[in-house]
Amino acid sequence: MSSLQIQTLLQPPDQAASVQHAISYLNSSFPTLREASSGSALQLSIDTTKSASDDYNAQLASSRTGIDKLIQSTRNSTKEHIVNAQELSLLRHSLADELTGLSEELESVTSPGVSEPSLLEEIETLHRNLKELQSVKEYVQVIHRALQLSEDSVKNLQQASPSSPITEASVADYVLLQELVTSIQRACTQVQSDTGQDLKLLSFLKDLLDKTWIRIKDVLSSSLLSAAEKLHWPMPVDYAAASLESRKAFESAFANFLGLQEIGEKLQPAQEANDSNKPFQGGLYPLQALIRPVALRFKYHFEGTRQTNRLDKPEWYFAHILNVSHEHRPFLEIVIQRLLQSSKYTSISAWREFTRLLLPIVSRKLRRSMPALLSHPPLLAHTVYQALAFDDALRDAGFSLVGTEVTLNAVDDVSAWEGTSDIVLGSKEWFDAWLEGERKFAEDQYNEIIISADAWQLSDDAEEDTANVREVRPTNSARRVKVLIEQITDRYRPLPRFLHKTRFLTAVQVPILELYHTRISDSLDAFETLSSFLVRAVPGSLAGQAGHGRDTKNMTAGVEGTQRLIKAYVSARWIAGVMAAWGEDMFFLELWHQICEKASLRSRVEDINSLPNPNVVNEEGTIFEELVTQYNKLAERTESMLVRQICGEVEADLKAHIYKQSNASPEGASEDIVLSQTLLGPIARFSAHLSLLRKTLPVPTVVGLYRKVGSHIALHVLQRQVLYQGRRRMNSLEGRVILDETRLWVETSRMALGGSVRRVEGPWERLLEAGRLLSLEGDAFERAVNAVRLGKEGEYEKLVETVGIGEMSNEEVMDVLSVREDYPK
């Protein structure tokens, strides 16, 4: 109750309010005077009100008495509280002073001007150190327990009898160690997820677990090797000659080791089933143990300071491993395979598994040798070839990953064995180094071929594959380029991946073929330049470099010039034929098919102009189709130059003869026909060229060239010596001269070709027909003129039959006849 309420209650009664209340009550209870005076109701109300008033007065007196007592007690308690408050105030001031002192004592060393740590900081430091020591204690206890279990696991097997079988009870301590590591791993998982850091304790325990299993394997491995030494392992084992006790000891140790592997696979965590780096994996335990002495012998011979460890003799250590695999194969396939049949590993081939475990020895040696080989490209190439040969030898012997431990628990199909060569081929840096070395070597070989003194001499050696190139006798350079390209093919043919084969094709082979094509093309350009009497330095001469002071005109003239063109022709044509045969080879057919099928290979080929477009499917096309086309065009160009060369020289020599004939006086001609001396020069040159063609080119080519050259010269003689004479300028005697000269051309051709062409007179038919027409006399000439001019079919056919006309048309016959002086006007 508030003080305001108390003061209100202590006020005296309000007299006016009381009177007003009484009047209101009377008015409501007795509305009229009659009602108030009648009966005793008024008196009863008065008595009741008086009685209530007395009660209120008694209560008031009692309340006043209580209030006085309460006031007195409140005053007394207030005084006591005041005293207590004063005492507490003094106590508060004293506590404040004490707290100020304590706060000064607890001030941190981090505050300026304070040099010693506070007590609280010392306590916190000690508490933190105590927690760290507690954590270290727990770590040490875990490590101690793990180390103790590890040692016990190894000791139990060391103390066990070699003849006692291995059971799960034999590795009970190892199981406890594994359970300990698993529990620690579960406890540390949450910590690692919170902190994002790997705990060193967990990694230590995992390593300890792995090393413990390795030590357990070493115990049984030592027992197996001791038994194997009695069989003279690692020398070839004569199992039948060994004592029964030795054989039993070996078989018991082998079976125990297999039993340990079966136990290990049961204990192996599922997530580590396919991890080859775990001690549970890596192959059959007994065969791993038998590999150790072999590896030690290999290390002694090929990884030490002995003379057998030579960088330039990789075939020695490859042959050593092949010999080991071959020598122990009977023992593995008979004895070891029988022991595997009594275990869960019946599907494993003992020899293949043993050979697979030998491969890391070679791989390690190869990897260690690579840094030194990179600076010696020839040795690197030799090592790669030996690795490929080693892989092929193993495959030929029947080795594959099928039937090995790799395929035992494989979920997916195991890919084919890539071979030890994949160590080099699978590394981009090492493969690029090898490819660059091969490219430089091939380029150097090509340059030596081109600059050799006999590069452009026709080969005299018999070729077994002559029929494949249409009997063209090549130049030495063409044959050597062919041999070089085939050597390159042999080098990359064994490569297992088509990507590597494609890179060899595009980086080594195709550039050599392009260079040879460019060399021949440049030589033809130089020939055309020199034959045009423009003397200037042009690279690529077929005969090499011309010496100073040499007549460059003679280099392109006569038989020597023709011979140069023949060398270019046979080189281009022979290489084209060789490439056509290569394109049909199964190796190149398969390579081209893979290039067309795989986008990754197409991208490496589609920008090379010398290879066909792999995006355009051509079932009949080959990989060298484009190069064959380019070389054939080069040969056709050379063939055209040969025709122009021979015809040009013969026609040049004919100028004097034709000029003499055109200026001879018909009146002074005698009846005796004597061939002009001016014709002997062109005939001799023509004969020399034909003889050269017959000696150096195949018959089909000679026939084609002869028909082109003969037709061109015959047409030239017909036009220059006959038709260009004009009308009525020649008599019958001169016509017989033309006929006899033509027959001389034919006979010269027959003698020069030596019977290689059946119808020698074929190119000269029109000129022969013109000679026969011009040599007609008297009535025969008149009948011929009439048959032609009158156009009677019967008479013209008789003329054709009589004279022997088969090539010339009616108009041409008329033009020839009009040359006679007695041709009617």
Side-chain angles (χ1 to χ4, degrees):
M1 184 177 293
S2 64
S3 60
L4 181 61
Q5 290 177 334
I6 294 174
Q7 290 178 2
T8 303
L9 292 175
L10 291 177
Q11 293 293 330
D14 188 354
Q15 188 67 32
S18 300
V19 173
Q20 185 64 32
H21 176 69
I23 294 174
S24 298
Y25 176 77
L26 289 175
N27 288 336
S28 61
S29 299
F30 305 101
T32 62
L33 182 61
R34 184 179 293 178
E35 292 178 354
S37 59
S38 62
S40 59
L42 178 60
Q43 187 61 39
L44 182 59
S45 298
I46 294 172
D47 293 339
T48 302
T49 303
K50 185 176 179 181
S51 176
S53 176
D54 292 339
D55 292 337
Y56 287 151
N57 288 329
Q59 292 178 2
L60 178 61
S62 177
S63 297
R64 287 178 176 174
T65 302
I67 288 171
D68 292 339
K69 292 180 179 180
L70 181 61
I71 290 172
Q72 184 62 37
S73 63
T74 300
R75 286 177 178 175
N76 293 334
S77 63
T78 300
K79 290 180 180 179
E80 292 176 359
H81 287 318
I82 290 172
V83 173
N84 291 334
Q86 290 176 349
E87 293 176 354
L88 290 173
S89 177
L90 294 173
L91 182 60
R92 181 182 67 81
H93 288 296
S94 62
L95 289 175
D97 294 339
E98 291 179 1
L99 288 174
T100 301
L102 289 175
S103 62
E104 292 177 355
E105 292 179 358
L106 296 176
E107 190 171 2
S108 173
V109 293
T110 59
S111 301
V114 180
S115 59
E116 296 182 357
S118 62
L119 177 61
L120 180 60
E121 289 177 338
E122 291 181 353
I123 295 174
E124 290 177 348
T125 301
L126 293 174
H127 182 66
R128 186 166 53 252
N129 292 339
L130 181 61
K131 290 181 66 177
E132 291 178 355
L133 290 174
Q134 186 66 29
S135 300
V136 171
K137 178 183 178 182
E138 294 174 356
Y139 268 62
V140 171
Q141 288 176 341
V142 171
I143 294 173
H144 178 266
R145 176 60 177 167
L147 292 174
Q148 186 177 10
L149 291 174
S150 175
E151 292 297 328
D152 292 342
S153 301
V154 178
K155 286 182 180 179
N156 289 339
L157 287 177
Q158 289 175 340
Q159 296 172 357
S161 173
S163 60
S164 60
I166 298 297
T167 62
E168 294 185 6
S170 304
V171 292
D173 291 325
Y174 178 82
V175 174
L176 293 177
L177 175 61
Q178 190 178 41
E179 292 175 352
L180 174 64
V181 174
T182 302
S183 62
I184 296 298
Q185 184 176 6
R186 285 197 298 267
C188 294
T189 301
Q190 184 63 36
V191 177
Q192 292 179 348
S193 61
D194 294 340
T195 61
Q197 298 179 352
D198 294 335
L199 296 180
K200 297 298 182 182
L201 174 63
L202 183 59
S203 61
F204 171 79
L205 292 177
K206 288 182 177 180
D207 291 341
L208 178 63
L209 185 66
D210 295 342
K211 291 178 180 178
T212 301
W213 189 257
I214 293 174
R215 292 177 64 192
I216 292 174
K217 288 171 57 179
D218 290 342
V219 173
L220 296 184
S221 176
S222 300
S223 176
L224 177 62
L225 289 177
S226 298
E229 287 177 358
K230 297 178 181 179
L231 302 178
H232 306 292
W233 184 268
M235 301 298 293
V237 176
D238 186 0
Y239 199 70
S243 64
L244 180 63
E245 181 181 354
S246 299
R247 286 184 288 177
K248 285 184 177 181
F250 176 79
E251 292 177 4
S252 175
F254 194 94
N256 277 346
F257 219 167
L258 283 180
L260 178 67
Q261 185 163 7
E262 293 181 13
I263 295 172
E265 290 177 356
K266 294 178 182 179
L267 299 176
Q268 171 187 5
Q271 66 271 18
E272 298 174 358
N274 296 320
D275 188 354
S276 60
N277 293 325
K278 290 296 178 180
F280 298 100
Q281 304 299 317
L284 292 181
Y285 288 177
L287 296 183
Q288 291 183 36
L290 295 177
I291 289 292
R292 288 187 179 182
V294 177
L296 288 176
R297 292 185 66 188
F298 184 92
K299 185 176 182 179
Y300 173 75
H301 288 289
F302 303 107
E303 295 182 5
T305 57
R306 294 180 60 85
Q307 294 183 355
T308 51
N309 182 20
R310 293 176 54 178
L311 193 65
D312 60 335
K313 294 293 182 180
E315 60 270 24
W316 288 356
Y317 61 80
F318 282 123
H320 176 77
I321 295 299
L322 285 175
N323 291 337
V324 171
S325 176
H326 176 72
E327 289 173 351
H328 295 299
R329 187 167 187 172
F331 172 69
L332 292 165
E333 291 182 341
I334 297 174
V335 179
I336 302 300
Q337 194 67 48
R338 175 175 55 82
L339 296 176
L340 292 180
Q341 295 299 321
S342 59
S343 67
K344 62 173 287 188
Y345 306 106
T346 56
S347 61
I348 289 183
S349 168
W351 175 76
R352 288 184 178 179
E353 179 67 9
F354 179 79
T355 304
R356 184 184 72 86
L357 295 176
L358 286 174
L359 296 178
I361 301 175
V362 181
S363 301
R364 182 176 62 251
K365 171 63 177 177
L366 195 56
R367 286 191 177 92
R368 291 178 177 177
S369 303
M370 282 306 299
L373 292 172
L374 291 177
S375 57
H376 299 84
L379 295 183
L380 174 60
H382 179 62
T383 302
V384 174
Y385 303 148
Q386 293 300 322
L388 291 170
F390 173 79
D391 297 340
D392 289 340
L394 283 183
R395 292 189 182 98
D396 294 341
F399 174 76
S400 69
L401 294 181
V402 178
T404 64
E405 197 268 345
V406 175
T407 61
L408 185 61
N409 299 318
V411 178
D412 301 328
D413 294 337
V414 178
S415 59
W417 177 54
E418 294 179 344
T420 56
S421 58
D422 191 63
I423 295 173
V424 179
L425 305 181
S427 171
K428 184 179 184 304
E429 178 186 358
W430 293 350
F431 177 79
D432 289 345
W434 176 44
L435 183 63
E436 179 63 18
E438 289 291 338
R439 188 194 64 79
K440 290 182 178 179
F441 175 76
E443 187 173 332
D444 293 341
Q445 290 290 105
Y446 168 77
N447 291 330
E448 290 180 5
I449 291 172
I450 294 300
I451 65 176
S452 62
D454 61 342
W456 301 105
Q457 299 297 321
L458 293 178
S459 175
D460 294 329
D461 298 336
E463 283 289 322
E464 295 180 358
D465 56 349
T466 305
N468 296 331
V469 290
R470 298 180 63 86
E471 299 182 357
V472 173
R473 187 158 60 111
T475 58
N476 290 327
S477 63
R479 290 189 63 242
R480 292 165 187 170
V481 167
K482 170 182 176 288
V483 172
L484 175 61
I485 296 299
E486 289 178 343
Q487 288 176 351
I488 297 171
T489 303
D490 293 338
R491 289 173 185 173
Y492 76 87
R493 186 188 295 269
L495 297 182
R497 298 180 184 177
F498 286 100
L499 173 62
H500 298 148
K501 296 178 181 179
T502 304
R503 292 193 61 187
F504 252 90
L505 173 72
T506 57
V508 183
Q509 279 187 317
V510 171
I512 296 297
L513 295 171
E514 290 175 341
L515 286 173
Y516 195 61
H517 179 277
T518 303
R519 185 75 173 193
I520 298 175
S521 179
D522 291 344
S523 300
L524 296 180
D525 293 340
F527 187 92
E528 289 181 333
T529 301
L530 295 176
S531 64
S532 300
F533 307 103
L534 299 176
V535 181
R536 57 189 178 93
V538 178
S541 176
L542 286 173
Q545 298 177 350
H548 293 288
R550 186 175 179 182
D551 188 359
T552 56
K553 180 179 178 180
N554 292 333
M555 296 172 59
T556 60
V559 174
E560 184 177 356
T562 302
Q563 190 171 14
R564 294 175 188 276
L565 291 177
I566 290 174
K567 294 173 182 178
Y569 173 80
V570 297
S571 297
R573 185 67 76 187
W574 195 77
I575 289 293
V578 168
M579 286 192 295
W582 288 341
E584 298 297 333
D585 185 81
M586 185 58 65
F587 170 74
F588 287 109
L589 288 175
E590 185 179 9
L591 176 59
W592 182 239
H593 175 72
Q594 292 294 327
I595 291 174
C596 295
E597 289 290 329
K598 297 180 180 180
S600 59
L601 300 182
R602 289 199 302 270
S603 62
R604 294 182 175 274
V605 172
E606 57 190 4
D607 294 333
I608 300 178
N609 296 328
S610 297
L611 293 178
N613 187 354
N615 297 313
V616 178
V617 179
N618 182 8
E619 295 182 356
E620 300 297 329
T622 63
I623 197 169
F624 294 106
E625 179 182 6
E626 184 63 30
L627 279 169
V628 170
T629 302
Q630 294 177 9
Y631 271 87
N632 281 332
K633 289 181 179 179
L634 194 61
E636 292 171 1
R637 176 191 174 190
T638 310
E639 188 174 337
S640 176
M641 291 176 64
L642 270 171
V643 174
R644 288 188 283 114
Q645 171 79 2
I646 298 173
C647 293
E649 291 187 353
V650 174
E651 291 169 2
D653 291 346
L654 278 172
K655 287 182 180 180
H657 176 68
I658 293 174
Y659 178 78
K660 180 180 179 181
Q661 292 293 325
S662 62
N663 290 279
S665 173
E667 289 78 3
S670 65
E671 294 294 331
D672 297 331
I673 300 175
V674 179
L675 296 178
S676 175
Q677 294 296 320
T678 56
L679 184 61
L680 298 180
I683 290 289
R685 186 178 295 274
F686 180 67
S687 176
H689 284 301
L690 289 185
S691 299
L692 179 62
L693 293 179
R694 180 180 62 82
K695 293 177 182 178
T696 56
L697 295 177
V699 173
T701 305
V702 173
V703 171
L705 289 172
Y706 167 68
R707 295 192 184 281
K708 293 178 182 179
V709 172
S711 299
H712 193 281
I713 295 176
L715 180 61
H716 178 80
V717 172
L718 178 63
Q719 291 177 345
R720 297 287 182 177
Q721 194 171 352
V722 178
L723 299 179
Y724 287 180
Q725 294 291 333
R727 290 180 178 271
R728 294 181 290 277
R729 294 290 302 273
M730 186 179 295
N731 55 33
S732 61
L733 181 59
E734 293 174 330
R736 288 199 302 272
V737 171
I738 296 295
L739 179 60
D740 291 341
E741 289 180 355
T742 305
R743 289 171 178 170
L744 180 59
W745 284 105
V746 174
E747 188 61 28
T748 301
S749 301
R750 181 177 288 106
M751 294 178 63
L753 294 174
S756 58
V757 180
R758 292 184 179 180
R759 293 186 69 256
V760 179
E761 66 278 2
W764 308 93
E765 285 291 349
R766 296 179 67 197
L767 187 58
L768 286 171
E769 293 173 4
R772 287 194 291 267
L773 288 172
L774 293 174
S775 62
L776 294 175
E777 298 180 354
D779 295 339
F781 179 75
E782 291 179 2
R783 286 194 299 271
V785 171
N786 292 332
V788 175
R789 295 184 65 180
L790 296 177
K792 293 182 178 181
E793 183 176 353
E795 295 182 1
Y796 184 76
E797 290 179 356
K798 185 178 181 181
L799 174 66
V800 169
E801 184 178 354
T802 302
V803 179
I805 300 174
E807 297 292 331
M808 299 179 67
S809 63
N810 193 353
E811 291 76 9
E812 291 175 333
V813 172
M814 184 177 294
D815 292 339
V816 171
L817 291 175
S818 64
V819 176
R820 284 282 294 269
E821 60 183 10
D822 51 352
Y823 185 78
K825 297 182 179 179

